[in-house]
Amino acid sequence: MKVGIIGLGFRLGYLGYIFNQIDPDFEIVGYTDPAPAGMPVLEEHGLTAGQSYATPEELIAGQEMDLLMIGSPNHMHLDHIRLGLEAGLKVFSEKPIVMSIEQSYALAELLNTHGHDRLLVGLVLRYSPLYKDLRKAQEDGRLGEVVSIEASEHIQPYHGAFFMRDWRRYSEYAGSFILEKCCHDLDLYNGVVGARPRFVASFGGRKSFTPANAPQNAGVNDLEVYHRKPSGWQGADKVFDSDGDIIDYQTAIVEYENGVSMTFHTNLNVPDEFRRFCVVGAKGMAEGDFVRGFLDVHRAHDNEKVIANKYQAPSATSHHYGADEQMAEDVFKHIKDGAPLPVSALDALEAGILALAMDEARLSRKVVDLAPVWQQYDAALHGGQAAALPLKSA
């Protein structure tokens, strides 16, 4: 499979290695990136990135490819996706695929024109064994009708410090933290609920990565942990006095159109990190943790544990609990044989809209009603005229 890359950052450098591990015929034929941070990962494994091009347009014109992969900063995604779709290519974009409500409408219009199946998305957790087993338990009726969900994504201080130092610290490039990092998780639970979010409330701010909490102020001299994860484009050394505008904790409450409610919590400074959920249904409950690697399912009427699964990544260097390897395998089958994928561009758009609503609710301190947004989104998706309406508070 021949691939072109727009934005050869750390993520697509890693995915280039994983895709090649799954299929040795995988070949990057060209890329465009003024500072390709992912190149060392490829070179470490004896891989090349093909010819370098000055612009995405030159890359697309200069190479025949089976897939165009986009790993550029989030604020460039829409333009790069548009280039690929208009060139008739199959496109894979890292998440989040867009970073505003207006861009969501614009991409919906593009998908109406070019087809939903032309855009693949890097919401990799849909491919994880744990999530597959959760959905299987749900399909087997072990949970019954879903009633409520409690979920979280917490990351260790070294990872939180990366966000404070990387280009992702600026919302103008990345969008909010909950959009950039947690759209994975929001997508998962949207899938479990099987309905769109309707009402959203949220609170959060920055309380950990502040000057008062800098370790040197407490007599701690070793700051290595806060620089363990390298930053790329627009990288900086400041952590506790970062000039970024992202927050470091957030909680949200969501009510879906079918009445299911969810609480979601994220924090960037959790030493013993976890990424867990509890899905409570009328007939049972499922509790799991992607980091700690377990899924337990209990039956409601007698409290019996009917599923007790443990999970381990395929290697110490594997990212996302083994989901990247499965995603690569499924993408190959999709490109070569048309096999279905477990997540779509529409799923990605809906998860992104939920994240954007969470931030609007946080900033306005009001409950956001997504009904008018879904109305405009559907109009764009199905060929109607989508006015660029803002999010509305209830």
Side-chain angles (χ1 to χ4, degrees):
M1 186 168 77
K2 297 183 182 300
V3 170
I5 290 180
I6 300 176
L8 182 54
F10 294 120
R11 176 62 179 159
L12 286 198
Y14 175 75
L15 282 185
Y17 161 63
I18 293 298
F19 274 55
N20 181 259
Q21 288 290 103
I22 300 299
D23 186 346
D25 290 333
F26 174 85
E27 178 187 3
I28 302 173
V29 295
Y31 73 96
T32 177
D33 190 320
M39 189 71 77
V41 177
L42 296 177
E43 293 174 345
E44 177 186 350
H45 298 285
L47 303 174
T48 66
Q51 185 174 343
S52 173
Y53 290 87
T55 67
E57 291 85 352
E58 291 177 17
L59 167 66
I60 291 171
Q63 291 288 345
E64 294 289 331
M65 62 188 79
D66 301 300
L67 184 67
L68 177 67
M69 299 185 75
I70 296 172
S72 50
N74 303 343
H75 70 292
M76 302 178 182
H77 283 183
L78 178 61
D79 287 340
H80 293 159
I81 290 169
R82 180 184 288 111
L83 286 172
L85 293 178
E86 291 179 347
L89 296 171
K90 182 85 77 170
V91 178
F92 174 99
S93 175
E94 261 304 314
K95 57 75 189 170
I97 51 176
V98 291
M99 53 177 285
S100 71
I101 294 297
E102 291 72 21
Q103 287 190 355
S104 299
Y105 297 151
L107 182 54
E109 291 175 347
L110 280 173
L111 296 179
N112 174 69
T113 300
H114 298 285
H116 305 164
D117 61 345
R118 292 268 305 285
L119 178 59
L120 287 58
V121 296
L123 287 171
V124 68
L125 290 188
R126 285 263 191 159
Y127 296 86
S128 65
L130 193 162
Y131 186 69
K132 288 183 175 182
D133 289 347
L134 169 63
R135 295 308 306 274
K136 179 65 164 54
Q138 184 180 11
E139 291 165 8
D140 290 345
R142 295 188 181 276
L143 306 182
E145 182 181 6
V146 174
V147 177
S148 61
I149 299 174
E150 178 183 304
S152 61
E153 182 185 7
H154 295 160
I155 62 176
Q156 290 185 27
Y158 86 90
H159 202 169
F162 162 78
F163 277 93
M164 293 297 158
R165 294 169 22 247
D166 191 59
W167 59 265
R168 294 166 177 84
R169 70 189 185 275
Y170 299 125
S171 59
E172 65 179 303
Y173 298 139
S176 68
F177 175 80
I178 209 162
L179 173 67
E180 154 63 22
K181 188 70 174 72
C182 302
C183 61
H184 275 310
D185 304 78
L186 301 180
D187 168 62
L188 297 185
Y189 307 121
N190 283 354
V192 169
V193 173
R196 287 172 170 174
R198 173 66 192 273
F199 296 105
V200 183
S202 186
F203 304 92
R206 190 193 298 185
K207 293 178 70 69
S208 293
F209 290 102
T210 64
N213 292 321
Q216 59 266 32
N217 293 349
V220 179
N221 296 319
D222 184 7
L223 299 178
E224 182 276 332
V225 64
Y226 299 109
H227 299 269
R228 182 185 303 164
K229 188 175 174 66
S231 57
W233 179 66
Q234 294 281 344
D237 290 330
K238 294 183 177 180
V239 175
F240 292 89
D241 51 353
S242 168
D243 63 350
D245 58 357
I246 63 168
I247 63 176
D248 60 23
Y249 73 98
Q250 189 168 353
T251 58
I253 306 172
V254 182
E255 183 178 65
Y256 287 83
E257 291 177 339
N258 60 0
V260 174
S261 66
M262 177 176 74
T263 61
F264 186 81
H265 176 215
T266 186
N267 193 298
L268 284 69
N269 191 46
V270 179
D272 190 10
E273 70 179 4
F274 53 91
R275 194 174 198 170
R276 67 189 180 200
F277 59 83
C278 182
V279 179
V280 182
K283 295 182 179 180
M285 64 173 277
E287 184 179 8
D289 191 318
F290 291 94
V291 173
R292 299 174 184 181
F294 75 88
L295 172 67
D296 292 338
V297 177
H298 285 80
R299 194 162 52 207
H301 72 272
D302 60 3
N303 300 339
E304 182 176 350
K305 184 183 290 188
V306 293
I307 293 176
N309 292 351
K310 301 294 184 184
Y311 303 88
Q312 186 173 355
S315 74
T317 59
S318 179
H319 297 181
H320 296 111
Y321 332 109
D324 286 308
E325 291 83 351
Q326 186 62 57
M327 181 176 72
E329 184 176 331
D330 286 3
V331 167
F332 284 128
K333 291 177 180 177
H334 177 75
I335 298 294
K336 294 178 179 179
D337 305 319
L341 295 172
V343 64
S344 71
L346 303 187
D347 296 322
L349 279 167
E350 294 191 7
I353 287 171
L354 174 54
L356 290 162
M358 288 177 174
D359 272 299
E360 175 60 26
R362 176 180 63 84
L363 292 168
S364 67
R365 293 186 174 271
K366 295 179 180 179
V367 175
V368 168
D369 181 359
L370 280 170
V373 173
W374 295 129
Q375 181 181 2
Q376 294 300 316
Y377 169 77
D378 285 334
L381 193 60
H382 300 294
Q385 184 64 37
L389 296 179
L391 292 165
K392 296 294 185 181
S393 300

